[in-house]
Amino acid sequence: MRESRLARPGYGLGRDRRAVVIGSGLAGLLAARVLLDHFDQVTILDRDRFPDAPEHRKGVPQSYHAHGLLLHGRDIIEQLFPDIDTELRAHGASPARDSVPLQVVCPFGPLPITPMPDEFIMYSRVLLEFLLRQRLTRDYPHLQVLPEVDALGLLTGAGGQVSGVRVRHRNGSGPDTLESDLVVDASGRGSKAPEWLATLGYGPVPEQSITSGIGYASRFYAKPEGFPRYWTGVVINGRSPHNRRAGLILDVERGQWHVTLGGFANAAPPLDETGFLQWARDLPDPTIYEAIRIARPLTPIRGFRTPTNRLRHFDRLPGWPTGFVVTGDAVCAFNPIYGQGMTVAATDALVLRTCLRHYAAGTEPGFERAFQRRLATNVAIPWFVASMEDLRWPGVEHHGTTPQLGTTMARRWIDLMLRAAVRNRHLADKYVDVIMMNAHPRVLFSPGVIARVLTVAVSGKIGIPSQEFALPDPALAALRDAPTPSSQPVSLVQRTP
Ligand SMILES: Cc1cc2nc3c(=O)[nH]c(=O)nc-3n(C[C@H](O)[C@H](O)[C@H](O)COP(=O)(O)OP(=O)(O)OC[C@H]3O[C@@H](n4cnc5c(N)ncnc54)[C@H](O)[C@@H]3O)c2cc1C
């Protein structure tokens, strides 16, 4: 029988148990949802003031850029917030049926993905985050949300355990400490957890990093009436070393398209009107260009340069304080081009739930270390997938990540598999299962997949796309004939650091 932390001074017995979550991004909201089942009081604090409507906020500048939520992440969110789809629809996310959720144009052409027969909706990160926050505050009276509060550091109790957070209220009023039994750091890429741990005598935290030099430029458009719904999103992938350009269009709520153009290896897309359109035009597939050419821009073009992608190995520290865990981007911040961050935040929340259940709501010793270790396992595959792709680019800076022979061979196989997948629906679907995190990447190396790749190879069709572009020819021709809207708004160019 493990020693119960309830028996130790400073923990729970005879009083309410409280958890504090630093940060109300996706990782913080999902972690809070899980904590609410185990704690008497949960507080989410954030340095931002929350908008009353689904709007962007300063603390998450990345929301101006298209956020695709992978199918696996969507399923977890639906599990944690039943019927969230209904609320998304009520806020304008319109359903599509018999369409491809995300049409993937790989470097060898569009993949012939099976359309989804069920209704499917796409929505923006801003709307999702707004509705999750609203649901939590509405449905859980034991949740407290504290806006405009900066977390400055950790408080410690007599036994060295973390006993709360040092805070600063931006409006100048309020206590400067928040006591709690568990502090969850979900403050994103800029998390100060390594510094806070160092102050307590733990560290340094081992890190792996890759500076992939990704630049984004994004804009919202009004989708033209009657636009064909063959897909609810299209992603066009670049590929080292020749094609540095990528693009993403998502059919989000209220008849809007969220369009992001990306450039690898320091080739950021331009932020002016003409340059933005030209970049889209030069993508290897014309679908995004033809769509936005006839669409009405709704917002200025915003830029973003993604800082270093980083995996922090909190799990490898020899010591760890009780009462503190770290989750989300604060642990692993991916190159966003692979669309993994929100889904990994969702899987992180499931890891938290498992550990809370296993360690008596986090009261038994070993809970925090078990959580960080399981989280490390949880992020290992997405990090491997992202770094395998990032390290293709010549000149990409990386630390603590050594490309292995196995990685090179895996990459060669994926390329061959994709060359076959542009001719084979089964292979295309398998690949999409993996990138949507619904299947382990090992399925791409299974005997069934190998046999199909060989069949396509033997037929002599390998690498020859079955369909030239992401939109079928008649739809593309119709778009090409459509007139460009006469008035384009003046571009208020903004680059977010
Ligand atoms: C350009 C870009 C595009 C992306 N595209 C995708 C995509 O297509 N699909 C996808 O799944 N993911 C994408 N991501 C990743 C995604 O945004 C994150 O992985 C996901 O939101 C989880 O992040 P998080 O909650 O850990 O951190 P964040 O979303 O960054 O939230 C951190 C929160 O903590 C608050 N905070 C920070 N410091 C403090 C402090 N000291 N005190 C109080 N509050 C604090 C901030 O205000 C913020 O609310 C993208 C990221 C970027 C940068």
Side-chain angles (χ1 to χ4, degrees):
M1 178 78 179
R2 273 181 291 232
E3 178 207 355
S4 168
R5 208 190 278 165
L6 287 169
R8 301 211 313 266
Y11 284 93
L13 204 62
R15 68 169 178 82
D16 283 354
R17 293 188 69 240
R18 177 196 281 191
V20 170
V21 180
I22 306 169
S24 67
L26 259 294
L29 294 172
L30 296 170
R33 166 65 195 85
V34 165
L35 292 164
L36 284 160
D37 291 340
H38 296 274
F39 284 79
D40 301 300
Q41 193 180 348
V42 176
T43 302
I44 304 179
L45 62 89
D46 201 289
R47 60 190 176 190
D48 267 358
R49 184 187 310 166
F50 299 117
D52 298 331
E55 282 163 14
H56 303 281
R57 59 188 177 86
K58 206 169 160 216
V60 281
Q62 69 265 37
S63 67
Y64 288 98
H65 305 276
H67 269 58
L69 176 61
L70 306 181
L71 293 179
H72 185 50
R74 186 179 283 259
D75 289 347
I76 296 171
I77 291 173
E78 177 75 21
Q79 194 191 110
L80 294 174
F81 293 84
D83 282 336
I84 193 72
D85 259 27
T86 312
E87 286 166 55
L88 287 158
R89 283 163 205 246
H91 281 78
S94 66
R97 195 180 267 282
D98 285 326
S99 71
V100 174
L102 187 67
Q103 173 62 60
V104 179
V105 182
C106 81
F108 312 106
L111 294 176
I113 302 160
T114 307
M116 196 182 259
D118 301 334
E119 280 196 349
F120 185 84
I121 55 170
M122 196 72 87
Y123 37 83
S124 68
R125 176 207 160 115
V126 165
L127 178 60
L128 177 66
E129 203 188 284
F130 173 76
L131 290 178
L132 296 186
R133 200 168 57 237
Q134 206 179 51
R135 267 285 280 275
L136 285 176
T137 42
R138 188 189 67 205
D139 293 355
Y140 297 90
H142 57 307
L143 174 79
Q144 180 189 31
V145 180
L146 295 179
E148 296 188 275
V149 175
D150 286 287
L152 303 178
L154 299 173
L155 298 171
T156 44
Q161 81 275 16
V162 171
S163 58
V165 193
R166 256 184 332 105
V167 297
R168 180 183 55 220
H169 292 255
R170 291 194 169 195
N171 64 9
S173 67
D176 54 11
T177 57
L178 263 177
E179 302 268 326
S180 73
D181 301 284
L182 179 65
V183 175
V184 178
D185 179 9
S187 60
R189 279 177 182 258
S191 158
K192 296 279 182 286
E195 289 91 320
W196 294 346
L197 285 165
T199 311
L200 302 184
Y202 304 96
V205 180
E207 274 192 18
Q208 282 175 267
S209 66
I210 302 180
T211 308
S212 47
I214 279 279
Y216 273 7
S218 301
R219 186 175 227 188
F220 285 85
Y221 288 84
K223 188 172 64 162
E225 286 285 320
F227 188 86
R229 297 202 89 177
Y230 295 103
W231 36 255
T232 46
V234 177
V235 60
I236 301 172
N237 292 324
R239 179 53 61 88
S240 167
H242 304 299
N243 179 13
R244 294 180 177 216
R245 294 173 185 219
L248 175 64
I249 183 168
L250 298 180
D251 199 339
V252 298
E253 65 275 4
R254 291 183 282 116
Q256 298 174 89
W257 274 331
H258 198 172
V259 176
T260 288
L261 303 179
F264 288 93
N266 300 315
L271 301 179
D272 63 286
E273 198 78 51
T274 318
F276 187 84
L277 269 180
Q278 188 59 44
W279 184 278
R281 192 175 195 165
D282 291 342
L283 286 167
D285 182 287
T287 307
I288 294 180
Y289 170 71
E290 293 296 346
I292 63 178
R293 187 183 63 80
I294 59 161
R296 189 166 48 85
L298 296 173
T299 60
I301 300 166
R302 307 252 331 190
F304 194 98
R305 294 242 183 201
T306 302
T308 299
N309 311 307
R310 195 203 47 231
L311 170 56
R312 286 174 170 157
H313 285 286
F314 293 109
D315 55 300
R316 293 189 190 160
L317 283 182
W320 189 268
T322 54
F324 181 58
V325 292
V326 192
T327 188
D329 279 16
V331 174
C332 189
F334 301 94
N335 180 341
I337 206 100
Y338 310 113
Q340 299 167 311
M342 296 191 294
T343 297
V344 170
T347 56
D348 289 353
L350 294 192
V351 172
L352 182 61
R353 186 173 69 181
T354 305
C355 290
L356 286 168
R357 284 178 179 166
H358 193 76
Y359 286 85
T363 57
E364 290 182 352
F367 159 73
E368 297 83 356
R369 306 222 64 184
F371 174 72
Q372 297 305 153
R373 285 189 182 130
R374 285 189 192 211
L375 212 68
T377 310
N378 187 50
V379 300
I381 292 205
W383 175 260
F384 172 78
V385 168
S387 48
M388 181 177 84
E389 288 300 318
D390 281 348
L391 294 173
R392 283 178 189 263
W393 295 95
V396 160
E397 282 177 37
H398 57 93
H399 298 284
T401 306
T402 319
Q404 311 279 337
L405 179 64
T407 316
T408 312
M409 287 171 64
R411 242 187 239 144
R412 292 210 173 127
W413 171 251
I414 300 292
D415 282 356
L416 183 65
M417 206 252 2
L418 282 175
R419 282 176 192 273
V422 294
R423 298 291 310 187
N424 185 295
R425 177 158 283 187
H426 177 87
L427 292 175
D429 289 342
K430 284 274 177 235
Y431 178 73
V432 170
D433 278 351
V434 170
I435 61 169
M436 290 289 176
M437 288 193 195
N438 270 338
H440 191 284
R442 77 168 78 89
V443 304
L444 302 181
F445 303 85
S446 65
V449 165
I450 293 171
R452 277 193 159 84
V453 172
L454 292 177
T455 309
V456 180
V458 168
S459 73
K461 290 178 180 161
I462 203 142
I464 304 166
S466 58
Q467 185 186 324
E468 208 181 342
F469 300 124
L471 266 185
D473 285 349
L476 204 55
L479 289 186
R480 285 189 169 135
D481 292 343
T484 306
S486 51
S487 62
Q488 298 267 339
V490 178
S491 173
L492 304 169
V493 174
Q494 299 179 31
R495 189 175 279 285
T496 316

